[in-house]
Amino acid sequence: TTPMGDLSFFTMLYWAFETLSTVGYGDFAPKTVLGRAVTIFCMGSGVIFFALESAEFMKLWGLQMHGSGRYVKKPHRNHVVIMGGAVQQTDEGILSAFFSELYHPVYRKHWPDSVVLVAGQEAVQRMQDFVKSHVSWDARDWITVLHGSALEHEDLIRCS
């Protein structure tokens, strides 16, 4: 017997779950077997839920990083879909001038979201690199790069 109660297999199992789930260090702990069983179930469920949601978030983030995601329109905010030769070839001169004007600090209250639609994974990577290196840091969150074609209805739906 210890100040925390009898040491049994179930008590040790409870302490292991409590420690692994980082719930606490025992200052408030259930005393009965049923209370500890319910607490173990809740802690285990929380850990599993967090793991599953984290995996889903990483999957969505990966899709977005590869341009396979979708643009989600924000309320009360306009957006512009950008496509064409300058985008496909990542023409730095044209795109720098375009984004500098579109995201000029004077017009900050009226900045639209930009959805850049490019074909090919290499073009997606080039455009993402361009945005990181040529667009001001405060405007980068307003730009979404998607992989697709303007000739595909489903790709245009992903942009709207």
Side-chain angles (χ1 to χ4, degrees), residues 65-67 87-90 117-130 145-148:
M65 291 308 296
H66 289 97
V87 170
Q88 191 61 34
Q89 300 305 318
T90 318
L117 187 62
V118 294
Q121 277 307 126
E122 293 164 2
V124 169
Q125 187 60 51
R126 275 195 319 266
M127 181 53 79
Q128 288 173 337
D129 291 343
F130 170 82
V145 179
L146 295 179
H147 174 263

Side-chain angles (χ1 to χ4, degrees), residues 2-159:
T2 68
M4 295 184 83
D6 290 333
L7 290 180
S8 66
F9 174 76
F10 193 76
T11 301
M12 294 304 204
L13 183 68
Y14 170 78
W15 284 345
F17 265 89
E18 180 181 49
T19 302
L20 289 174
S21 65
T22 67
V23 172
Y25 52 87
D27 54 344
F28 297 104
K31 303 289 184 222
T32 65
V33 171
L34 179 60
R36 287 181 177 172
V38 169
T39 304
I40 287 174
F41 174 77
C42 291
M43 287 186 286
S45 299
V47 169
I48 290 169
F49 176 77
F50 182 76
L52 292 174
E53 289 303 310
S54 295
E56 183 66 19
F57 174 77
M58 294 306 292
K59 177 183 153 195
L60 292 173
W61 184 73
L63 286 173
Q64 193 68 23
M65 291 308 296
H66 289 97
S68 301
R70 121 181 263 112
Y71 168 73
V72 178
K73 184 164 176 37
K74 286 122 186 130
H76 311 293
R77 221 151 102 185
N78 294 323
H79 75 284
V80 177
V81 178
I82 305 165
M83 60 188 104
V87 170
Q88 191 61 34
Q89 300 305 318
T90 318
D91 186 318
E92 290 183 11
I94 293 173
L95 291 172
S96 291
F98 177 77
F99 284 121
S100 293
E101 183 65 27
L102 188 63
Y103 294 112
H104 194 281
V106 171
Y107 310 123
R108 185 176 178 91
K109 290 183 180 179
H110 303 289
W111 282 1
D113 284 340
S114 293
V115 181
V116 183
L117 187 62
V118 294
Q121 277 307 126
E122 293 164 2
V124 169
Q125 187 60 51
R126 275 195 319 266
M127 181 53 79
Q128 288 173 337
D129 291 343
F130 170 82
V131 169
K132 287 178 188 172
S133 62
H134 290 81
V135 176
S136 65
W137 65 269
D138 53 341
R140 291 179 195 161
D141 289 338
W142 298 72
I143 301 171
T144 303
V145 179
L146 295 179
H147 174 263
S149 168
L151 301 176
E152 295 291 329
H153 180 71
E154 291 162 8
D155 290 339
L156 291 175
I157 296 296
R158 289 178 33 234
C159 294

